[in-house]
Amino acid sequence: MNSKLLELLRFGIVGIIATIVLYLTYWLFLRWLNPTLSYSIGYFLAFIANYLLTTSFTFKVKKTVKNGVGFVLSNITNYLVSIGLLNIFLHIGVNDRIAPIATIMLGTLSNYIIVRTVMKIM
């Protein structure tokens, strides 16, 4: 298997882990908080796990301030798009348990491209 395909596979594994962290946190906090705040807490926890796994497992790069800042900036964009999509789905009547799954599915490819660029350049 070539290195880019393996990298994409590792990205998928990390993405699945981050998605599970995000969704379980969202689902847990949804009992007490609104969907946007629940998703935000889940996103933050998944973000931390994602950065640690992305540097050490997916792209096998050293954790640096530079790639950390790049990761934060790329995830701010992804977060804003995700919150927008989540609220659009909720507004059009998608169930609040399903809406984050659709949101995550739509944001995965663009997030890979942005994060890969940040990790390889920085």
Side-chain angles (χ1 to χ4, degrees):
M1 212 181 275
N2 74 32
S3 64
K4 288 198 189 246
L5 189 55
L6 284 172
E7 186 178 89
L8 186 58
L9 180 62
R10 290 190 306 265
F11 179 83
I13 292 166
V14 170
I16 289 167
I17 292 168
T19 299
I20 290 168
V21 169
L22 191 158
Y23 188 73
L24 288 177
T25 304
Y26 169 84
W27 188 79
L28 175 69
F29 281 94
L30 192 58
R31 295 175 181 191
W32 303 285
L33 304 171
N34 70 52
T36 300
L37 191 52
S38 298
Y39 189 91
S40 297
I41 293 168
Y43 193 94
F44 178 73
L45 294 176
F47 166 80
I48 293 168
N50 198 348
Y51 176 70
L52 296 173
L53 291 170
T54 293
T55 53
S56 62
F57 177 68
T58 303
F59 298 112
K60 299 181 181 183
V61 296
K62 191 175 189 177
K63 292 168 191 64
T64 65
V65 171
K66 192 174 181 181
N67 69 25
V69 168
F71 195 79
V72 167
L73 293 176
S74 67
N75 274 275
I76 288 171
T77 303
N78 189 48
Y79 170 77
L80 293 173
V81 168
S82 295
I83 286 297
L85 286 171
L86 176 70
N87 283 288
I88 288 169
F89 288 133
L90 293 170
H91 181 72
I92 64 172
V94 176
N95 182 286
D96 64 3
R97 306 270 183 199
I98 304 297
I101 295 170
T103 298
I104 292 164
M105 289 171 50
L106 286 175
T108 299
L109 180 58
S110 63
N111 191 42
Y112 170 74
I113 293 166
I114 293 168
V115 170
R116 183 180 193 284
T117 303
V118 167
M119 289 296 137
K120 294 294 183 170
I121 293 174
M122 302 181 143

